[in-house]
């Protein structure tokens, strides 16, 4: 396949002029309409959204400099590249993806991570709601699957893994309702799509009568359907944390070749959809107006110390190692296949491709890595609390610690949050570095720790909200909370390595070869998609709440 060489990016001044010449795309200011309706002259007929977990803007820049004739270079040259884009904080997969498709940050969407806690909902399995005490973990991971060990999440397909494209496009049917939190108002299990506090791009586009599709890694991505539960007509979610058939390492993330194979199934689904079929190429349904997928292989290449005979992570600060280079090449090939198929189907002139990432990964400097076992820190906090309060139970209700700390407490009082904050900031110990050698830490590895109302304000949430963490810890650069030595990077935190992701909008309705160096946010993707398709961006709840502006792409 022949590709045009990448054109040099125009300067910021030239970019601004080019954008002004074709009209800046900004969020509408009219009140949100009761029913979404497409503009009679949309700028694009299709939007293909590609999210590459772990990909940094620095990774993309590194790759483009060395591969000026690559598919990624072609994509970047064919549109607008935003070089200072930031994802959500926390920078986990769930809030990151939800931000792209709602226009809202976690304080608005109510989703802070894929495994959190709510003081308002009831534990899974509750049947006597009148007498039940609220407060429960909200697990939106593979644990919801009817069978999390199976690639099809328990559908029962024969001939796996090859038959996975026959998987249902309605993954809510593969969620075990007995594992879901219970809504005290209805005394019924609460599905992920009902947990989301705002609507999604898919909700709006479906209401407008257009087709939607998406591919992601767990059945719990039913959440992207939005509160209607019907936003995505074809949602393909092979379970990434299932047993990787044909590999000895465990699930599909434990061997990078397995992750590439897994991503390949979702890439084939996208190709089928470009051709006008459903994800399994069973029914001719027409190319969706909004569709796309999430890539996982770059993320595992960043996190695994070694895989397939290659060293993972970064060879030096910001310099991809051999395994990561292999995966950047892999993603480039898939992007090339998508662009070629769009041309083949005569859709390239009517399709806008958006490339970004749910989250980055930290650290990109291997010498900064400090692995800390968070288990003893949390156990110590519970012990100290009970010692100071005889007869009390554990203080920690739930915690998520990757390269940040999110902690929910059983006692949300000022006294309790102050106690937890003081305890954690006083802890020191010994972790280990990239080579497994001892490395001391202080203040539980934290740079700062927000507690109570300060934690809520840090996350732009209302203090006392039933979902917001009681403590939010910003780890020192390089800290990864893990009990072993099998991980060299993580995400979820607030450092640049977690937040700085690529953002490219290319194809229909975009000027070519434009580079925008000013700050933008991945939540701006959602109103941009709607405006490209001719919808009112204010049909999105989060856009109205946060006044999220669309990206200046035309």
């Amino acid at each position: 396949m022949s590709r045009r060489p990448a054109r040099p990016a125009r300067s910021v001044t030239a970019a601004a002029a080019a954008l002004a010449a074709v009209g800046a795309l900004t969020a509408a200011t009219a009140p949100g309409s009761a029913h979404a309706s497409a503009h009679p002259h949309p700028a694009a007929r299709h939007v293909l959204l590609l999210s590459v977990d772990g990909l940094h803007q620095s990774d993309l820049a590194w790759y483009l400099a060395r591969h000026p004739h690559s598919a990624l270079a072609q994509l970047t040259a064919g549109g607008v590249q935003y070089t200072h884009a930031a994802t959500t904080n926390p920078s986990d997969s769930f809030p990151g993806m939800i931000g792209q498709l709602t226009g809202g940050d976690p304080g608005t969407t109510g989703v802070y991570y894929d495994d959190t806690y709510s003081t308002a909902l009831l534990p899974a399995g509750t049947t006597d709601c009148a007498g039940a005490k609220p407060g429960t973990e909200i697990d939106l991971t593979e644990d919801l699957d009817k069978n999390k060990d199976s690639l099809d999440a328990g559908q029962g397909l024969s001939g796996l893994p090859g038959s996975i494209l026959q998987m249902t496009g309605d993954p809510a049917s593969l969620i075990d309702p007995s594992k879901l939190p219970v809504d005290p108002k209805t005394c019924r299990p609460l599905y992920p799509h009902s947990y989301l506090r705002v609507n999604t791009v898919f909700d709006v586009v479906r209401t407008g009568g257009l087709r939607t599709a998406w591919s992601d890694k767990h059945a719990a991505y039913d959440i992207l359907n939005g509160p209607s539960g019907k936003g995505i007509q074809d949602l393909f979610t092979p379970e990434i944390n299932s047993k990787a058939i044909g590999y000895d390492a465990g699930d599909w993330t434990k061997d990078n070749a397995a992750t590439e194979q897994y991503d390949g199934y979702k890439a084939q689904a996208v190709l089928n959809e470009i051709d006008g079929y459903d994800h399994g190429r069973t029914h001719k349904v027409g190319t969706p107006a909004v569709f796309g997928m999430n890539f996982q292989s770059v993320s595992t290449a960043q996190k695994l110390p070694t895989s397939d005979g290659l060293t993972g992570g970064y060879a030096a600060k910001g310099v991809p190692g051999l395994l990561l280079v292999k995966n950047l090449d892999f993603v480039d090939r898939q992007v090339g296949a998508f662009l070629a198929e769009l041309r083949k189907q005569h859709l390239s002139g009517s399709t806008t491709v958006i490339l970004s990432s749910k989250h980055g990964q930290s650290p990109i400097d291997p010498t900064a890595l400090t692995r800390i076992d968070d288990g003893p820190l949390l156990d110590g906090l519970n012990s100290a609390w009970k010692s100071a309060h005889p007869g009390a139970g554990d203080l920690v209700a739930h915690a998520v610690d990757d390269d940040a700390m999110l902690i929910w407490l059983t006692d949300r009082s000022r006294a309790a949050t102050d106690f937890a904050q003081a305890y954690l900031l006083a802890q020191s110990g010994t972790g280990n570095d990239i080579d497994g050698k001892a490395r001391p830490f202080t203040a539980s590895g934290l740079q700062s720790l927000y507690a109570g109302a300060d934690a809520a304000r840090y996350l732009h949430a209302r203090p006392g909200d039933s979902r917001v963490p009681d403590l939010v810890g910003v780890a020192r650069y390089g800290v990864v909370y893990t009990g072993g030595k099998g991980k060299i990077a993580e995400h979820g935190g607030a450092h640049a390595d977690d937040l700085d992701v690529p953002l490219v909008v290319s194809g229909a309705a975009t000027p070519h070869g434009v580079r925008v160096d000013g700050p933008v946010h991945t939540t701006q993707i959602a109103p941009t998609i709607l405006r490209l398709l001719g919808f009112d961006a204010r049909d999105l709840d989060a856009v109205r709440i946060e006044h999220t502006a669309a990206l200046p792409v035309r």
Side-chain angles (χ1 to χ4, degrees):
M1 178 180 66
S2 62
R3 302 189 180 101
R4 297 191 307 274
R7 282 176 271 182
R10 284 178 269 178
S11 67
V12 175
T13 302
L19 292 172
V22 291
L25 181 60
T26 54
T29 56
S33 59
H35 299 286
S37 58
H39 189 277
H41 301 291
R45 293 181 59 195
H46 311 280
V47 176
L48 173 61
L49 176 60
L50 304 175
S51 182
V52 185
D53 274 19
L55 189 65
H56 305 97
Q57 170 59 25
S58 60
D59 297 326
L60 180 62
W62 182 93
Y63 194 83
L64 296 181
R66 288 156 181 79
H67 302 85
H69 304 290
S70 63
L72 287 170
Q74 177 188 339
L75 182 72
T76 303
V80 184
Q81 178 184 191
Y82 303 88
T83 62
H84 285 85
T87 188
T88 58
N89 181 21
S91 57
D92 180 53
S93 294
F94 250 58
M97 194 73 255
I98 288 168
Q100 291 186 33
L101 290 165
T102 65
D105 284 303
T108 298
T109 66
V111 181
Y112 294 92
Y113 230 77
D114 62 1
D115 184 12
T116 58
Y117 192 86
S118 170
T119 61
L121 298 177
L122 303 177
T126 300
T127 55
D128 180 10
C129 295
K133 180 181 178 181
T136 186
E137 178 184 3
I138 308 299
D139 187 348
L140 300 176
T141 70
E142 68 275 9
D143 292 334
L144 294 185
D145 297 351
K146 289 182 176 179
N147 180 0
K148 65 181 180 181
D149 291 327
S150 178
L151 185 61
D152 67 3
Q155 183 174 338
L157 295 174
S158 60
L160 289 173
S163 66
I164 190 58
L165 285 168
Q166 299 172 24
M167 187 176 178
T168 179
D170 177 23
S173 63
L174 303 177
I175 291 175
D176 183 347
S178 71
K179 299 176 181 177
L180 293 168
V182 174
D183 184 347
K185 297 178 182 178
T186 63
C187 206
R188 294 179 179 176
L190 192 70
Y191 277 80
H193 67 262
S194 295
Y195 185 69
L196 186 60
R197 287 176 169 168
V198 296
N199 64 348
T200 71
V201 164
F202 298 119
D203 275 317
V204 175
V205 172
R206 282 294 298 128
T207 301
L210 301 183
R211 185 167 180 82
T212 58
W214 185 253
S215 298
D216 224 299
K217 60 182 180 178
H218 304 305
Y221 275 85
D222 160 69
I223 199 168
L224 297 180
N225 271 304
S228 70
K230 300 178 180 178
I232 307 175
Q233 288 169 283
D234 188 0
L235 179 54
F236 178 50
T237 60
E239 179 52 65
I240 193 169
N241 291 121
S242 63
K243 181 175 175 55
I245 301 169
Y247 297 87
D248 298 328
D251 69 32
W252 298 90
T253 69
K254 299 299 190 294
D255 185 307
N256 193 248
T259 316
E260 286 189 358
Q261 180 178 332
Y262 168 87
D263 278 349
Y265 297 128
K266 292 185 292 184
Q268 184 58 56
V270 170
L271 290 170
N272 290 340
E273 289 157 1
I274 290 173
D275 290 350
Y277 291 88
D278 59 12
H279 77 261
R281 208 177 184 86
T282 303
H283 302 289
K284 191 79 170 180
V285 292
T287 305
V290 182
F291 65 123
M293 67 167 285
N294 154 254
F295 285 96
Q296 286 286 300
S297 54
V298 164
S299 180
T300 64
Q302 293 167 326
K303 294 168 76 170
L304 293 172
T306 61
S307 187
D308 310 314
L310 299 174
T311 301
Y314 292 82
K317 185 176 182 179
V319 179
L322 293 177
L323 186 65
L324 181 52
V325 170
K326 180 174 78 76
N327 282 123
L328 294 173
D329 286 338
F330 171 79
V331 170
D332 184 73
R333 289 195 299 274
Q334 309 316 308
V335 170
F338 298 153
L339 297 180
E341 200 65 21
L342 287 169
R343 288 194 296 271
K344 179 180 176 182
Q345 297 298 331
H346 307 290
L347 295 174
S348 57
S350 59
T351 302
T352 304
V353 181
I354 301 177
L355 175 76
S356 191
S357 180
K358 297 177 182 178
H359 58 78
Q361 209 91 256
S362 181
I364 62 172
D365 180 357
T367 65
L369 178 65
T370 303
R371 287 177 285 226
I372 298 174
D373 187 351
D374 59 322
L377 297 173
L378 299 176
D379 291 342
L381 173 56
N382 283 329
S383 295
W385 176 256
K386 287 186 280 190
S387 177
H389 302 81
D394 287 346
L395 180 58
V396 177
H398 188 68
V400 178
D401 309 324
D402 286 325
D403 70 336
M405 276 192 177
L406 302 181
I407 301 175
W408 290 261
L409 302 179
T410 55
D411 183 338
R412 308 191 81 190
S413 68
R414 174 70 180 269
T417 57
D418 284 353
F419 181 96
Q421 181 184 45
Y423 176 87
L424 290 169
L425 290 177
Q427 302 310 301
S428 59
T430 303
N432 63 85
D433 65 11
I434 187 73
D435 298 316
K437 297 178 180 178
R439 172 169 283 178
F441 65 85
T442 59
S444 297
L446 296 170
Q447 172 184 301
S448 55
L449 180 60
Y450 301 91
D454 288 339
R457 283 189 285 267
Y458 174 74
L459 295 174
H460 307 290
R462 177 178 55 82
D465 182 86
S466 61
R467 301 182 187 181
V468 71
D470 295 299
L471 292 107
V472 178
V474 178
R476 294 181 180 177
Y477 182 69
V479 166
V480 170
Y481 292 104
T482 177
K485 299 179 182 179
K487 189 182 294 184
I488 58 175
E490 257 299 355
H491 57 271
H495 288 290
D497 292 0
D498 296 290
L499 301 177
D500 292 354
V501 296
L503 179 50
V504 176
V505 182
S506 178
T510 67
H512 289 190
V514 172
R515 169 174 164 157
V516 175
D517 292 326
V520 295
H521 200 284
T522 57
T523 54
Q524 294 179 256
I525 291 172
T528 300
I529 291 173
L530 290 188
R531 294 301 304 279
L532 285 166
L533 293 173
F535 289 89
D536 184 350
R538 286 179 58 85
D539 282 326
L540 285 170
D541 301 330
V543 165
R544 295 196 303 276
I545 294 168
E546 297 188 12
H547 307 289
T548 313
L551 295 163
V553 295
R554 75 177 186 90

